[in-house]
């Protein structure tokens, strides 16, 4: 009997201990689940908060992008307005320049209205144009200049100097005595070689070189060039290049006398043509 009672007591104690252990485990597990739930809920809240922050940032980015885009549009509109204003300003400047030129021309016309433009015949000895001796006829204000002295024509006020130069190149020339001009470009290169700020143009049968020399004087050279080729009695083959003539008139003046220089230069450019070469026979 005692044995049965002892056994019962042991089983009861064991069951009681087992029940208490299981309860504790359940409590611990329940606590862990609650803690995990709290962590998960906290993470969910943090994620929601981050989503809210991200959404706010995205809204701010969109707002800033819209502001930037508007500023770009405003900037483009401002650039377009400035460009249009620049065009209008350039047009006004051009109008002013044109009016200034008109005024200058009117003043020049008034100043020269009583000035007589003469034809000065310049005797050129021992030179030939197309194998015929010639004189040079220049249309300039005669009262401004003294008679030609050699190759020089100097204005009475010493402001303007006019000179001429002549080149005749034959097919048989060896080039020891003078430069060889086999084509017009040779003459242009020769007469412009010592000049600076060169401007080249062609007008009234000839070439025009504008620039300045080493002493900063204004230079204008008007040149006439002609060459001749012949079959020389042959029926076949190409014509043989025989010779070229080049006659130039140069106008020189100081920078301070540029208005007078322009006036005389324009007269030479407009009037110095092949008609200015007067044959003596």
């Amino acid at each position: 009997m005692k044995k049965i009672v002892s056994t019962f007591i042991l089983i009861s104690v064991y069951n009681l201990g087992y029940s208490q252990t299981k309860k504790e485990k359940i409590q611990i597990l329940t606590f862990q689940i609650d803690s995990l739930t709290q962590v998960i809920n906290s993470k969910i809240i943090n994620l929601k908060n981050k989503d809210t922050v991200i959404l706010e940032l995205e809204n701010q980015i969109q707002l800033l992008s819209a502001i930037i885009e508007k500023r770009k549009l405003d900037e483009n509109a401002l650039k377009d307005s400035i460009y249009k204003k620049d065009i209008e300003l350039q047009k006004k400047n051009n109008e002013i320049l044109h009016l200034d030129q008109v005024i200058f021309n009117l003043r020049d016309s008034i100043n020269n209205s009583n000035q007589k433009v003469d034809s000065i015949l310049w005797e050129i000895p021992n030179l030939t144009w197309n194998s015929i001796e010639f004189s040079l006829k220049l249309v300039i204000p005669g009262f401004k200049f003294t008679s030609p002295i050699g190759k020089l024509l100097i204005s009475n006020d010493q402001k303007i100097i006019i000179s001429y130069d002549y080149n005749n190149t034959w097919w048989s020339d060896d080039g020891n005595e003078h430069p060889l001009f086999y084509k017009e470009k040779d003459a242009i290169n020769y007469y412009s070689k010592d000049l600076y700020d060169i401007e080249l143009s062609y007008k009234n049968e000839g070439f025009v070189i504008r620039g300045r020399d080493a002493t900063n004087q204004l230079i204008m050279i008007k040149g006439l060039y002609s060459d001749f080729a012949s079959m020389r009695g042959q029926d076949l083959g190409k014509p043989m290049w025989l010779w070229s003539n080049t006659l130039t008139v140069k106008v020189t003046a100081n920078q301070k006398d540029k208005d007078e220089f322009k006036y005389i230069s324009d007269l030479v450019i407009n009037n110095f043509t092949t008609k200015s070469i007067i044959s003596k026979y």
Side-chain angles (χ1 to χ4, degrees), residues 64-221:
L64 290 173
S65 298
I67 293 173
I68 292 172
E69 191 64 28
K70 184 177 183 303
R71 289 185 177 178
K72 286 182 178 179
L73 293 174
D74 293 341
E75 182 181 359
N76 291 334
L78 182 59
K79 287 181 178 179
D80 185 62
S81 176
I82 293 173
Y83 176 73
K84 290 179 179 178
K85 294 294 183 184
D86 287 341
I87 292 176
E88 292 178 3
L89 180 61
Q90 186 61 47
K91 288 181 179 179
K92 294 297 182 183
N93 286 337
N94 290 339
E95 291 177 2
I96 292 172
L97 290 174
H98 175 70
L99 290 175
D100 286 343
Q101 186 62 45
V102 170
I103 293 172
F104 175 81
N105 291 339
L106 287 174
R107 287 176 178 173
D108 188 61
S109 176
I110 292 172
N111 291 334
N112 294 308
S113 60
N114 296 322
Q115 295 183 4
K116 184 180 179 182
V117 178
D118 297 328
S119 296
I120 293 181
L121 193 63
W122 203 337
E123 292 292 335
I124 299 179
N126 303 321
L127 298 179
T128 61
W129 184 271
N130 295 344
S131 301
I132 299 175
E133 290 189 17
F134 68 92
S135 299
L136 175 60
K137 182 180 180 181
L138 283 184
V139 178
I140 56 176
F143 72 95
K144 286 181 174 288
F145 291 85
T146 59
S147 298
I149 303 174
K151 286 190 173 184
L152 296 180
L153 188 61
I154 304 174
S155 63
N156 296 325
D157 56 12
Q158 308 293 308
K159 291 181 178 180
I160 304 294
I161 297 176
I162 301 176
S163 61
Y164 75 84
D165 191 41
Y166 175 80
N167 178 279
N168 178 242
T169 299
W170 283 85
W171 66 273
S172 59
D173 282 342
D174 56 13
N176 292 329
E177 296 181 359
H178 56 78
L180 302 181
F181 299 161
Y182 293 110
K183 53 184 179 294
E184 186 178 46
K185 186 63 177 176
D186 296 333
I188 293 172
N189 290 339
Y190 176 79
Y191 287 110
S192 61
K193 65 180 179 179
D194 296 323
L195 300 182
Y196 304 90
D197 301 330
I198 296 171
E199 295 179 9
L200 175 65
S201 60
Y202 298 86
K203 189 171 182 179
N204 294 345
E205 304 181 13
F207 59 86
V208 179
I209 302 171
R210 297 177 187 270
R212 57 183 181 83
D213 63 13
T215 62
N216 209 33
Q217 285 189 309
L218 299 171
I219 303 294
M220 191 289 298
I221 299 173

Side-chain angles (χ1 to χ4, degrees), residues 43-59:
K43 295 291 185 181
I44 292 172
I45 292 172
N46 289 335
L47 288 174
K48 288 182 178 180
N49 290 335
K50 289 181 178 179
D51 288 340
T52 301
V53 171
I54 291 172
L55 182 61
E56 290 178 354
L57 290 175
E58 288 178 345
N59 291 335

Side-chain angles (χ1 to χ4, degrees), residues 204-205 222 224 268-277:
N204 294 345
E205 304 181 13
K222 170 72 180 287
L224 302 178
V268 172
I269 291 171
N270 293 326
N271 295 287
F272 176 43
T273 65
T274 53
K275 295 180 179 178
S276 303
I277 300 173

